[in-house]
Amino acid sequence: MYATFWSHCKAAFASMVPFVIVYFTAQPFDEAMGFLVSGGVTIAPALVGIYICGWALMSMGLLRALRFDQSVVKHYVVYAVTGAIALTVVALGILTAVRVAREGTWDIWNVSTFTTLLVASPLLGALGAVIGRRVLAFFIQWHRWLEREVLPNALEFVEGKHDRAEFHRMKADEDGTATQS
């Protein structure tokens, strides 16, 4: 199985659907659009670009690792688990970086959003990865590796063999059923 980097980027873009839904439903629409208008126009595309490139590289690695496995269920499970773990690690890393930068402490477990983050990150990561893998399925190119037995050596010189009729005469001589013509 193979898909181009651009195909993985399209799937990564599709995997952002759960994030967009959560972004617009977790806060009033006015505040969500206010952020996008007041600076999110420069920050959001950079974050989206980083996310898409990271997701596409992860997906290329997973697809390469699973290229000989044709089980669709296994593909979805591997993508879901990887997405859940990756998003949780990234979210906790960002929370830690923000906490250290703002307050100078590594104490992330006492933040009010810590529990929500631990529950929502794996769910969103898994859901996004499965959606992305589903979209990627349209762009995957299949290649079959054929294995067959080694062909016999056809270019071996046989002394005295010149043509088919002569070969049959030689074979008949060996069997003792030679016919006189």
Side-chain angles (χ1 to χ4, degrees), residues 6 16 30 38 40 45 47 53 63 73 78 91 94 101 103 119 122 124 129 143 155 166:
W6 180 242
M16 293 181 63
D30 300 345
S38 69
L47 293 176
C53 288
L63 194 64
V73 173
V78 169
I94 291 172
E103 298 178 19
V119 171
L124 281 175
H143 299 283
L155 301 175
E166 188 172 342

Side-chain angles (χ1 to χ4, degrees), residues 62 66 73-83:
L62 289 177
L66 296 169
V73 173
K74 185 175 180 182
H75 278 248
Y76 285 134
V77 168
V78 169
Y79 268 76
V81 169
T82 305

